Amino acid sequence: MFTVHTLTYKPTNQHGVSRTETERDREEESESEWERRGEESMKGGKRPIQAVATWARRQPPKIKVFLAVASAMAALVFLRMIVHDHDNLFAAAEAVHALGISVLIYKLTKEKTCAGLSLKSQELTALFLAVRLYCSFVMEFDIHTLLDSATLVTTLWVIYMIRFNLKSSYMEDKDNFKIYYVVIPCAVLSFLIHPTTQHHVLNRIFWAFCVYLEAVSVLPQLRVMQNTKIVEPFTAHYVFALGVARFLSCAHWLLQVLDTRGRLLTALGYGLWPSMVLLSEIVQTFILADFCYYYVKSIFGGQLVLRLPSGVV
């Protein structure tokens, strides 16, 4: 009985390797490559944001300033396109500020701790709010007077809680910013540059003082966060809300100036005062810009506790 063997022809290349084997090897290599890329893609789902952040950190200071200004301008253009009544930006700023205060109240009442909060920042806030309320009553009484009254009451309550009820958790050694570093310059500047309206000169000086002091009132809070390097969630939410509120307020003023083709500046008075008002709005926005950047980066990175690198704020 004979066994018949069937021979199958397998084409080979010039090296004598079967084409089928070569194609199989290529397919396996291709599949391995796709799997490797897929795994990297799954693992690096957040890498684009981290890559952009890393690239931005490595840029020289001038480039960082340019990127910050470009981002701010892009945000202003976007707000101008979607918000037709720019007075709504001011209302939104007040709402975001109120949200930040609500977070602060929750921290003090539920967490029973004031760790990470600056008493000096709260005292500066109470000071400029009290002065602004006085000016509102004697110069112009409107809805903002009522909003400032509610904010002042809340701020005084926060000061009371830090000084008395939660004094044991207050980081006094970290809250080491000298407030006269900002109060005295603001007072001197208000004597030199103030509104040119028909009101009493003392009231005009007070109004300028509260504008200047508001712009720098957050500096002690930033010093506390700089000293601790670790910012717990509720404090981070509160400071971020302040940053957003001040950006919206600054956007409100800048867009109003653009819409009125500069007539708003003349309505504020003449001399250096209109420019100083806008400069104060811009300063208090950029003071918090660095912190807000690291806050957003932390949120996208899934970190509950914000860790600030050296040199921030």
Side-chain angles (χ1 to χ4, degrees):
M1 184 175 183
F2 298 95
T3 303
V4 179
H5 297 276
T6 304
L7 298 177
T8 305
Y9 172 73
K10 294 183 180 181
T12 60
N13 56 21
Q14 61 181 351
H15 300 288
V17 180
S18 170
R19 291 183 183 178
T20 305
E21 293 176 359
T22 304
E23 292 174 357
R24 188 183 302 115
D25 292 341
R26 288 177 180 175
E27 290 176 359
E28 290 177 355
E29 290 177 0
S30 178
E31 291 176 359
S32 300
E33 179 68 16
W34 280 108
E35 288 176 1
R36 185 180 63 81
R37 292 181 181 181
E39 290 176 358
E40 290 183 355
S41 176
M42 292 294 290
K43 292 179 181 179
K46 298 172 184 175
R47 284 185 180 179
I49 296 176
Q50 295 175 355
V52 172
T54 302
W55 176 83
R57 283 200 308 271
R58 293 176 178 174
Q59 300 308 305
K62 291 183 179 180
I63 299 298
K64 289 182 180 179
V65 172
F66 171 77
L67 292 174
V69 173
S71 301
M73 294 299 295
L76 286 176
V77 171
F78 177 72
L79 288 175
R80 191 175 187 183
M81 292 174 58
I82 65 173
V83 180
H84 301 291
D85 186 358
H86 297 147
D87 285 335
N88 292 333
L89 291 176
F90 195 84
E94 295 290 341
V96 174
H97 191 188
L99 180 61
I101 294 176
S102 301
V103 172
L104 194 60
I105 292 174
Y106 179 87
K107 171 185 172 67
L108 297 177
T109 56
K110 299 298 183 182
E111 300 291 322
K112 301 296 183 181
T113 177
C114 63
L117 291 179
S118 170
L119 174 62
K120 293 178 180 179
S121 255
Q122 298 301 319
E123 290 173 340
L124 290 177
T125 301
L127 178 58
F128 83 73
L129 283 173
V131 175
R132 191 161 71 187
L133 271 176
Y134 164 77
C135 294
S136 296
F137 279 114
V138 299
M139 297 174 70
E140 52 178 2
F141 186 92
D142 54 16
I143 185 62
H144 303 304
T145 306
L146 299 178
L147 294 174
D148 283 343
S149 300
T151 305
L152 177 59
V153 170
T154 306
T155 304
L156 292 175
W157 178 82
V158 171
I159 293 174
Y160 172 82
M161 292 291 288
I162 295 176
R163 278 195 173 275
F164 300 102
N165 288 20
L166 303 174
K167 186 177 181 179
S168 59
S169 60
Y170 171 50
M171 299 178 176
E172 187 174 2
D173 59 324
K174 304 294 184 183
D175 195 11
N176 55 9
F177 189 91
K178 307 298 183 184
I179 60 176
Y180 55 79
Y181 285 168
V182 294
V183 173
I184 294 178
C186 288
V188 173
L189 191 59
S190 63
F191 274 98
L192 299 176
I193 305 175
H194 49 264
T196 55
T197 59
Q198 300 300 319
H199 301 91
H200 192 277
V201 62
L202 188 61
N203 295 334
R204 287 184 277 141
I205 291 174
F206 281 159
W207 184 263
F209 175 73
C210 70
V211 169
Y212 300 145
L213 188 60
E214 181 185 12
V216 294
S217 60
V218 76
L219 288 178
Q221 179 62 60
L222 296 181
R223 172 61 67 85
V224 171
M225 295 188 298
Q226 185 184 53
N227 290 336
T228 58
K229 289 293 186 294
I230 297 178
V231 187
E232 57 85 31
F234 289 110
T235 302
H237 298 335
Y238 166 68
V239 177
F240 179 72
L242 290 182
V244 173
R246 292 185 175 184
F247 171 75
L248 292 174
S249 178
C250 181
H252 165 260
W253 280 102
L254 291 177
L255 293 178
Q256 288 283 79
V257 171
L258 291 176
D259 288 346
T260 59
R261 299 182 183 276
R263 291 191 299 272
L264 179 63
L265 294 178
T266 57
L268 293 174
Y270 55 86
L272 293 176
W273 169 245
S275 300
M276 290 302 294
V277 172
L278 289 179
L279 182 61
S280 298
E281 292 287 340
I282 295 173
V283 165
Q284 63 181 322
T285 300
F286 275 92
I287 282 177
L288 288 168
D290 202 18
F291 171 82
C292 291
Y293 163 76
Y294 283 99
Y295 174 88
V296 173
K297 179 186 174 185
S298 176
I299 292 297
F300 277 104
Q303 300 176 5
L304 297 178
V305 177
L306 177 60
R307 289 177 171 81
L308 298 177
S310 300
V312 178
V313 302

